Amino acid sequence: MTSESIDVTPDVAGLPLFNQPLPGPGASSSPRLITPLKATDNSPVVEIDWTLVASLRAQASEQLSQAVAADRARLDRTAQEELGRSIVLDLIESTVSERVNAGDRAWPLVQQKALARAVFDSLFRLGRLQPLVDNDDTENIIIAGYDNVMLELIDGSLVDGPPVADSDEELIDFLVFLASRSEVNARGFSEAQPRLHLRLDGGSRLAAAAWVTPRPSVVIRRHRLMQVTLDDLVERQMMTPVAASFLRAAVRARKSIVVAGSQGAGKTTVVRALCAEIDPMEAIGTFETEYELHLHELKHHKIVHPWEARPGSGERGPDGRMAGEFTLDDALVDSFRFNLSRQIVGEVRGKEIWAMIKAMESGTGSISTTHASDAVGAVRKLVTCAMEAGPHVTHDLATSKLAATIDLIVQLDLRTTTVNGVSQRRRWVAEIIALEPGERETGYATTHIFGPDREGTAVPAVLPDEYRALASYGFDLPSYLMQQEART
């Protein structure tokens, strides 16, 4: 049995326990684990027995499941949380009574409050992970075993984090519970399905693997910039004003754009900024394996239809699909009945590229992301992804499709430097290239409209004649030509 310090609020004058409203989905929840991130204040420190928390969470989960199953009206999320709060309080009171009857001292009220909060977080939130996700200084949480936790901060530095379970087995059990508790899009996580990709309340994304790795591996990525524009990225020195004006005009002119870069380079953030340039009255459809863009929650656009893939479960049927499986391709086919003005396909890692191609072929000005080390390399990566669909997709077919549908590729770069023990991370747009059918050997031709300067920042290079027309959509053509001339 192990315990861990939790910082709790000292004011417990108001009874009963938990008398204050609990946080909604995605909201910060107190108390917080004491971590190396911030100094502690004068609040009392309470030892939390996480083995007891796990036991109480299991009991609460069983009681809640029975209550929900018996309720014909089908409780919504808020009602379930209120019922869960009541169940947790009853369990805490019962546990205290059992301790007193056994001759042990009753817990102080502040300790009961901390324990109740921990059980509630384990039941409805992220348990011991919740305080780490709530910490605004943290960008990524990296777990390679329950006691091997690293926190990647917003400045690019890495610090040790607290254990997130008492054993690898307990961590896996919690991940299984976390994956299965969603009513809308539950996901399997087992030896038969050893990988997990899950969106979390508040917009974070969780990726996990177990059984195929020596120890359970988990990475949680927090999306800090939700409401963001191209002007915001200019202020953050991610791109120049001229590059921003070009991309703004390209979106308005319905050019199909792929944003490429390494992991953590800010691709999703740039896509959000690009989408902010779409007229608020245009109807948008988003297609993602897990929700990351969250355009439907940002309220910038009046009509957003978000689709999320569902992996399915069980054995594959004669058609090669698992029961309940819903693919991005299924979503895209359905979307053509929704009178969409734009179709935004999320990250392309494999076969979902054909959903991206179909969206771009519709001429709606689609936007997608992919991983690549440079802009031209992104084309080769996408060709490989397209060929994963099967032997019927030849290299020539994949190349011709991509060259005919993608207009622009925006390449992001990421660099972390450490000086005197202080780390600093920089993200920026390094290249913007135009793609079109062309050379016989490759099947496509690329033109660097913006190429990297000595510092790696995208600056004016070669502008194809057809892109001069973007001036009517707001492209700052005079500044582009002036900077282009200065380079030569």
Side-chain angles (χ1 to χ4, degrees):
M1 181 178 294
T2 64
S3 62
E4 189 169 299
S5 297
I6 282 198
D7 183 13
V8 297
T9 304
D11 181 12
V12 292
L15 294 178
L17 299 177
F18 254 165
N19 63 324
Q20 296 180 354
L22 290 170
S28 297
S29 60
S30 179
R32 291 182 181 273
L33 289 172
I34 295 177
T35 74
L37 298 179
K38 295 180 178 179
T40 60
D41 55 20
N42 294 324
S43 300
V45 174
V46 175
E47 297 294 326
I48 292 296
D49 179 356
W50 287 104
T51 302
L52 177 59
V53 170
S55 175
L56 293 176
R57 188 260 294 167
Q59 296 176 55
S61 177
E62 182 177 355
Q63 292 183 32
L64 182 63
S65 297
Q66 293 174 356
V68 171
D71 193 298
R72 295 182 179 180
R74 191 171 181 81
L75 299 174
D76 61 16
R77 173 69 178 266
T78 302
Q80 287 187 34
E81 291 193 4
E82 288 300 320
L83 178 58
R85 176 168 61 179
S86 175
I87 291 172
V88 169
L89 290 175
D90 289 342
L91 287 173
I92 298 295
E93 291 177 1
S94 298
T95 303
V96 171
S97 297
E98 291 174 2
R99 284 178 56 84
V100 173
N101 292 336
D104 295 329
R105 293 180 57 186
W107 290 315
L109 292 179
V110 67
Q111 186 166 359
Q112 294 181 45
K113 181 177 180 180
L115 182 62
R117 176 69 66 177
V119 176
F120 184 88
D121 277 349
S122 294
L123 187 63
F124 289 104
R125 310 266 189 264
L126 298 175
R128 293 169 76 167
L129 288 167
Q130 189 65 50
L132 305 182
V133 173
D134 288 341
N135 196 308
D136 290 335
D137 291 333
T138 303
E139 183 157 312
N140 295 312
I141 302 166
I142 306 163
I143 303 168
Y146 79 97
D147 57 351
N148 185 14
V149 181
M150 296 294 293
L151 307 178
E152 188 174 5
L153 308 186
I154 56 177
D155 64 1
S157 60
L158 292 171
V159 299
D160 291 324
V164 294
D166 289 339
S167 66
D168 285 348
E169 290 72 22
E170 182 183 310
L171 174 58
I172 292 175
D173 287 344
F174 182 71
L175 291 171
V176 171
F177 170 75
L178 192 65
S180 64
R181 73 182 181 186
S182 171
E183 293 184 354
V184 178
N185 209 357
R187 309 210 167 195
F189 189 53
S190 63
E191 289 191 59
Q193 295 177 284
R195 59 185 180 179
L196 174 64
H197 297 276
L198 195 67
R199 57 180 167 89
L200 306 175
D201 290 338
S204 299
R205 183 185 71 184
L206 179 147
W211 299 285
V212 293
T213 55
R215 304 185 67 183
S217 297
V218 185
V219 172
I220 297 177
R221 295 190 57 190
R222 297 180 68 239
H223 293 290
R224 298 186 302 110
L225 294 178
M226 300 295 284
Q227 296 279 7
V228 62
T229 65
L230 292 175
D231 289 336
D232 294 331
L233 300 185
V234 171
E235 290 183 10
R236 291 172 175 269
Q237 298 183 337
M238 281 192 67
M239 65 180 70
T240 66
V242 174
S245 77
F246 177 82
L247 292 176
R248 179 180 295 110
V251 171
R252 294 174 179 176
R254 295 184 173 272
K255 298 294 183 182
S256 292
I257 302 171
V258 171
V259 179
S262 61
Q263 297 182 36
K267 297 184 294 296
T268 302
T269 298
V270 171
V271 171
R272 287 197 195 101
L274 294 175
C275 290
E277 301 300 334
I278 299 174
D279 189 280
M281 297 308 296
E282 289 192 38
I284 298 176
T286 61
F287 307 84
E288 302 177 90
T289 52
E290 300 88 30
Y291 291 137
E292 285 190 87
L293 292 173
H294 297 283
L295 299 187
H296 57 293
E297 297 175 353
L298 299 182
K299 308 303 181 184
H300 178 73
H301 296 93
K302 295 291 186 180
I303 303 174
V304 179
H305 297 287
W307 276 269
E308 184 179 46
R310 187 169 59 197
S313 60
E315 296 183 359
R316 295 191 178 275
D319 60 354
R321 297 165 64 105
M322 291 187 290
E325 182 179 9
F326 184 75
T327 67
L328 293 185
D329 202 53
D330 295 330
L332 197 75
V333 170
D334 291 345
S335 75
F336 285 103
R337 299 291 180 90
F338 281 72
N339 297 326
L340 298 178
S341 175
R342 303 267 186 166
Q343 294 167 309
I344 311 298
V345 180
E347 185 178 356
V348 172
R349 293 172 294 188
K351 297 179 182 179
E352 58 269 297
I353 188 174
W354 286 102
M356 182 198 80
I357 290 173
K358 289 179 182 178
M360 291 183 174
E361 282 182 329
S362 67
T364 61
S366 183
I367 305 172
S368 299
T369 71
T370 194
H371 292 94
S373 58
D374 60 77
V376 176
V379 182
R380 296 192 294 269
K381 160 73 178 302
L382 293 174
V383 169
T384 301
C385 289
M387 294 176 67
E388 290 179 4
H392 61 287
V393 179
T394 65
H395 183 277
D396 290 344
L397 174 61
T399 300
S400 63
K401 282 287 188 180
L402 291 170
T405 53
I406 298 174
D407 295 309
L408 298 168
I409 296 178
V410 181
Q411 179 68 32
L412 305 182
D413 209 343
L414 168 66
R415 186 177 303 163
T416 301
T417 56
T418 302
V419 179
N420 297 326
V422 178
S423 297
Q424 185 175 12
R425 170 176 293 166
R426 181 188 171 215
R427 299 178 175 93
W428 70 96
V429 174
E431 302 173 82
I432 301 176
I433 68 170
L435 182 68
E436 59 184 354
E439 301 174 11
R440 178 175 300 178
E441 292 183 3
T442 61
Y444 59 86
T446 60
T447 303
H448 273 82
I449 300 178
F450 289 81
D453 62 8
R454 293 182 179 179
E455 299 298 323
T457 301
V459 294
V462 178
L463 184 67
D465 290 340
E466 62 267 28
Y467 282 92
R468 289 176 176 266
L470 292 185
S472 62
Y473 293 93
F475 173 36
D476 188 356
L477 182 59
S479 294
Y480 179 94
L481 297 176
M482 186 181 302
Q483 294 180 23
Q484 182 189 54
E485 184 178 352
R487 285 195 70 194
T488 58

